[in-house]
Amino acid sequence: MTVLYKANMVRGAEWARFFAERAPDVPFRLWPDIGDPAEIRYLVAWVPPDNIATTFPNLELVISVGAGVDQFDATKLPAHIPLLRMLEPGIAETMVEYVNLAVLALHRDLLHFISQQKEQIWREIRIMPAKRRRVGVMGLGQLGQAVLQRLKAFGFPLSGWNRSSREIEGVTCYAGAEALPEFLAQADILVCLLPLTDETRGILNADLFARLPRGAGLINVGRGGHLVEADCLAALDSGALSGAVLDVAEPEPLPAGHPFWSHPRILLTPHNASMTMPDTAVDFVLDVIARHRRGEELPGRVDRARGY
């Protein structure tokens, strides 16, 4: 019953240490040292290896090392093998920190002040009270709900949009494509936390930007594939968007010379909004393994039809 880890190797060494401390009876291996492939029962990975089914004939469970699973080609994973999203608390905690930082940066005009500093311009910008700055979050799963919960403390009017209905205290919730225009019309700062699926690819486009209040701010912490880059640049240059905080791109990393690197209204970070913490991630994986061996329901199980 061997666990194989295939992701960041520096953090992998921490995983190995925690496994040795907390589950010394569970064999743990770091890719590419897989040992006997027939002994691999559990795979924890970011980018999965090729030919999973044939390489690991006795594989029973696959766990994404991150909150997303769009990097997996589900067609190459046998239907009887469950695919799980990582649900350890460190992912939500770090995402909440980042989105709060990004919302406040746009709310308090930080991108403008950074540009002014570079040009040695001392010019105040009138402060808008938080109670008048409406924040909308697209994607009301674990991360979206955690973000909204923390944003309540600042007094922003909050709304959320999701594919299916949600009820969140203190948040005006919208569901389905027909409700999207009404949701967008009251989002002065829009946060994208959607999973990347065929339905959501390219959703951050010119039509969507036109439905936002003019001068809205954009935060994309979903996936690079959500954003139509040319439409984002055009919206920024026209004033339809006042600024964008982008933690994801397609491809990653962006090539040298890409306009996102130097655009004065874009704050770009290297897919670093949230990070799986080895300490609590190992606890999550060990809990999943125990549940699986007892035949219990597994947390974070991906619905193959929906893609998340």
Side-chain angles (χ1 to χ4, degrees):
M1 191 194 72
T2 299
V3 177
L4 174 64
Y5 172 96
K6 183 182 182 296
N8 181 285
M9 287 297 104
V10 174
R11 292 197 288 274
E14 296 182 55
W15 279 69
R17 177 166 58 84
F18 288 126
F19 256 88
E21 292 174 356
R22 300 172 188 178
D25 58 324
V26 178
F28 181 87
R29 288 187 172 273
L30 295 173
W31 180 273
D33 178 22
I34 66 174
D36 182 356
E39 295 182 357
I40 304 298
R41 296 291 192 275
Y42 302 98
L43 172 65
V44 182
W46 174 246
V47 178
D50 295 330
N51 305 316
I52 291 178
T54 55
T55 303
F56 308 110
N58 297 314
L59 189 65
E60 299 178 15
L61 195 63
V62 177
I63 304 172
S64 172
V65 78
V69 294
D70 54 280
Q71 72 276 22
F72 284 82
D73 183 350
T75 64
K76 296 182 179 179
L77 187 64
H80 72 277
I81 299 178
L83 173 61
L84 274 60
R85 296 177 290 110
M86 178 62 67
L87 296 181
E88 68 91 11
I91 294 176
E93 291 168 2
T94 50
M95 180 62 77
V96 166
E97 292 174 356
Y98 184 95
V99 174
N100 274 261
L101 169 72
V103 167
L104 291 173
L106 294 174
H107 170 57
R108 293 301 304 268
D109 303 301
L110 186 61
L111 301 186
H112 293 273
F113 290 128
I114 291 173
S115 295
Q116 287 186 185
Q117 180 181 350
K118 291 179 179 178
E119 299 173 18
Q120 300 184 42
I121 295 173
W122 187 280
R123 181 187 301 133
E124 70 175 22
I125 297 174
R126 186 169 180 175
I127 295 173
M128 177 180 287
K131 65 182 180 181
R132 291 175 50 198
R133 186 86 72 182
R134 300 164 297 179
V135 179
V137 175
M138 301 179 75
L140 300 179
Q142 177 198 25
L143 298 182
Q145 293 187 46
V147 162
L148 285 163
Q149 184 63 36
R150 193 72 60 86
L151 284 171
K152 290 178 182 179
F154 296 101
F156 297 112
L158 301 174
S159 60
W161 180 84
N162 203 58
R163 175 180 173 178
S164 54
S165 297
R166 293 282 193 276
E167 290 187 8
I168 305 172
E169 184 178 356
V171 179
T172 303
C173 294
Y174 299 85
E178 67 283 352
L180 184 57
E182 183 180 357
F183 162 77
L184 294 172
Q186 54 185 322
D188 299 313
I189 296 176
L190 180 68
V191 182
C192 179
L193 267 166
L194 293 168
L196 183 61
T197 66
D198 291 341
E199 292 180 353
T200 63
R201 180 172 289 277
I203 194 171
L204 302 177
N205 56 33
D207 179 66
L208 181 144
F209 300 146
R211 295 177 183 275
L212 293 169
R214 183 166 180 79
L218 173 68
I219 300 166
N220 187 18
V221 282
R223 288 290 187 266
H226 287 124
L227 180 66
V228 179
E229 294 180 352
D231 290 359
C232 179
L233 291 167
L236 288 166
D237 292 342
S238 71
L241 291 176
S242 60
V245 180
L246 308 176
D247 183 59
V248 288
E250 195 173 70
E252 292 180 355
L254 285 175
H258 191 286
F260 282 4
W261 287 114
S262 57
H263 199 288
R265 293 291 178 264
I266 292 177
L267 175 61
L268 183 67
T269 55
H271 203 146
N272 198 55
S274 67
M275 186 176 293
T276 302
M277 300 298 167
D279 186 1
T280 45
V282 167
D283 287 339
F284 173 77
V285 171
L286 289 174
D287 178 65
V288 164
I289 291 173
R291 290 171 182 266
H292 182 255
R293 295 174 72 178
R294 294 193 298 263
E296 297 176 359
E297 184 176 350
L298 301 176
R301 185 163 184 165
V302 173
D303 183 332
R304 302 282 187 96
R306 295 194 303 175
Y308 59 92

